[in-house]
Amino acid sequence: MEFSVQRADFLKELSLLQGVVERKTTIPVLSNLLLEVLADSVRMTATDLELGIRSSCPAKVKKGGVTTVPAKKLLDYVRQLEEAEIHFKMAESAAGGSLQVTCGRSHVRMAGMARDNFPVLPDFSSKMAVIPPAALAQMISRTIFA
């Protein structure tokens, strides 16, 4: 797996996913993000087994792949980087490998976990419900005080 992303795009999506990631859990993989590198984007998934979020950001992909990485460590590291392109490269191994993150003169390695341990989120191929915008706005205005 090898790809690169713009820091601003990646940081925006990472920040969104942090609200779901478990910090203290009995299942270690729940404190990780699932990174799936597709043809022209990186899809990130986080879950706490009750709530799950899947997000993506555009990427320059050299080689696709899948891994999980510690969400908190990755966010803290990306926040400290300068505004530039971040390069990711996966060093494969049986235990999930390590993710090499490079930006400018900064280099770091993060231990990954195997994708098999990460819970599968369901795919929703069709719309579950359609709510007109006016009705949604009315419902929010009636309950916002709570």
Side-chain angles (χ1 to χ4, degrees):
M1 177 172 94
E2 189 173 351
F3 65 98
S4 58
V5 294
Q6 290 298 319
R7 179 190 173 272
D9 297 336
F10 196 65
L11 184 58
K12 177 182 169 189
E13 302 305 327
L14 275 178
S15 299
L16 171 70
L17 295 169
Q18 285 302 308
V20 176
V21 175
E22 287 287 321
R23 281 162 184 68
K24 295 179 181 176
T25 180
T26 57
I27 305 171
V29 79
L30 294 181
S31 62
N32 286 8
L33 290 177
L34 176 67
L35 295 177
E36 298 172 285
V37 181
L38 307 173
D40 61 349
S41 65
V42 176
R43 187 164 70 175
M44 297 170 277
T45 306
T47 185
D48 63 0
L49 295 181
E50 289 184 18
L51 177 65
I53 295 179
R54 185 174 288 142
S55 181
S56 65
C57 87
K60 296 176 187 172
V61 178
K62 290 185 181 177
K63 183 180 175 187
V66 179
T67 191
T68 67
V69 293
K72 179 85 169 111
K73 284 183 182 179
L74 183 61
L75 178 65
D76 290 344
Y77 179 71
V78 171
R79 278 184 180 157
Q80 294 175 3
L81 294 174
E82 62 212 30
E83 194 63 43
E85 192 170 68
I86 307 170
H87 300 280
F88 296 85
K89 187 174 183 178
M90 188 71 185
E92 300 294 333
S93 77
S98 64
L99 185 66
Q100 300 172 346
V101 184
T102 308
C103 182
R105 297 183 312 153
S106 177
H107 304 282
V108 72
R109 262 190 188 175
M110 295 183 190
M113 295 179 82
R115 183 217 198 291
D116 303 337
N117 300 332
F118 200 84
V120 177
L121 293 184
D123 282 329
F124 296 105
S125 56
S126 62
K127 294 179 182 177
M128 293 179 63
V130 177
I131 301 173
L136 181 61
Q138 184 181 23
M139 287 188 279
I140 291 171
S141 69
R142 290 182 176 183
T143 59
I144 199 162
F145 66 89

